[in-house]
């Protein structure tokens, strides 16, 4: 949650900088990685790069290149580490995904991806960088996930309260409902 608010604050700050620059595109990129284990000894990284044009003009020929994944540590399973977007309108977004599989165990920190784009009013290509990936452990021993962790916490937190409410409810039901034997005796007296 703190990371999202930090990213939001950075995006607002970058928007203000872009507004100060005038009529120009301002490309911001966020890079994220999700780890998964499809089998024992195999770990996959789903890499997502989100591009945002925070400027007031269109960015053309936007090329994205994320070659920060060394071939001796990762295999490309699906997708590509680069992408070209023809144009990125002001306020629009584009996403790129690819999946890597790990070859070695250890700690890794990804470098920012490089984004280059063309601005019609400038001869030179403009360059931007994505956010870096925080360090993470590849094929690290992780404690097994407990499927009923949320239920256990709820029972631990609210269990005593639930049992008291249940006992009180049962007591009220027993006191308020007429007994069957008493109802049978009452019907015999009327005859």
């Amino acid at each position: 949650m703190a990371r999202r608010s930090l990213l939001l604050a950075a995006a607002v700050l970058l928007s203000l900088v872009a507004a100060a620059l005038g009529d120009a595109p301002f490309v911001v990129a966020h890079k994220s990685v999700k780890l998964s284990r499809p089998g024992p000894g195999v770990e996959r990284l789903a890499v997502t790069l989100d591009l945002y044009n925070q400027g007031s003009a269109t960015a053309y020929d936007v090329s994205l290149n994320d070659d920060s994944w060394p071939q001796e540590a990762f295999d490309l399973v699906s997708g590509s580490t680069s992408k070209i977007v023809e144009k990125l309108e002001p306020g629009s977004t584009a996403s790129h995904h690819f999946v890597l599989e790990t070859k070695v165990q250890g700690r890794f920190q990804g470098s920012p991806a490089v984004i280059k784009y063309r601005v019609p009013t400038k001869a030179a290509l403009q360059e931007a960088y994505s956010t870096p990936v925080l360090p993470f452990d590849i094929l690290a021993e992780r404690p097994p996930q407990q499927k009923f962790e949320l239920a256990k916490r709820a029972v631990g937190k609210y269990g005593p309260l639930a049992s008291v409410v249940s006992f009180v409810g049962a007591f009220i039901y027993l006191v308020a409902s007429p007994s069957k034997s008493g109802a049978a005796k009452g019907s015999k007296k009327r005859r």
Side-chain angles (χ1 to χ4, degrees):
M1 199 63 158
R3 186 175 183 189
R4 279 187 189 243
S5 61
L6 181 62
L7 288 173
L8 181 62
V12 169
L13 179 63
L14 294 175
S15 295
L16 293 173
V17 169
L21 292 175
D23 191 27
F26 189 76
V27 178
V28 180
H30 175 66
K31 180 178 177 179
S32 62
V33 174
K34 289 186 182 176
L35 300 172
S36 66
R37 287 205 177 165
V42 177
E43 192 158 45
R44 289 200 173 158
L45 289 79
V47 181
T48 303
L49 288 149
D50 295 315
L51 300 173
Y52 307 94
N53 184 352
Q54 297 290 325
S56 57
T58 303
Y60 294 96
D61 303 325
V62 181
S63 69
L64 169 75
N65 189 11
D66 188 11
D67 60 359
S68 64
W69 308 97
Q71 290 183 350
E72 54 274 357
F74 300 97
D75 279 331
L76 186 63
V77 176
S78 69
S80 170
T81 58
S82 61
K83 180 180 181 175
I84 295 177
V85 177
E86 189 176 314
K87 65 180 181 176
L88 196 58
E89 299 284 339
S92 65
T93 62
S95 290
H96 179 62
H97 311 279
F98 58 93
V99 178
L100 301 167
E101 193 169 274
T102 60
K103 294 182 186 179
V104 295
Q105 183 178 6
R107 190 155 181 83
F108 183 77
Q109 179 174 355
S111 301
V114 178
I115 299 95
K116 293 182 180 183
Y117 57 96
R118 187 174 52 81
V119 177
T121 58
K122 296 183 181 178
L125 283 176
Q126 303 301 302
E127 193 169 272
Y129 297 96
S130 73
T131 55
V133 175
L134 295 175
F136 57 91
D137 292 319
I138 300 169
L139 293 172
E141 292 297 321
R142 293 186 183 94
Q145 292 180 338
Q146 296 181 4
K147 295 181 180 181
F148 298 97
E149 189 64 35
L150 182 62
K152 286 177 21 182
R153 277 189 268 148
V155 168
K157 186 174 183 179
Y158 299 110
L161 178 63
S163 63
V164 168
V165 169
S166 298
F167 285 130
V168 170
F171 178 76
I172 291 173
Y173 175 76
L174 291 173
V175 170
S177 66
S179 67
K180 290 186 179 182
S181 62
K185 288 180 187 177
S187 65
K188 286 183 183 178
K189 289 183 183 178
R190 289 186 187 153
R191 288 187 185 174

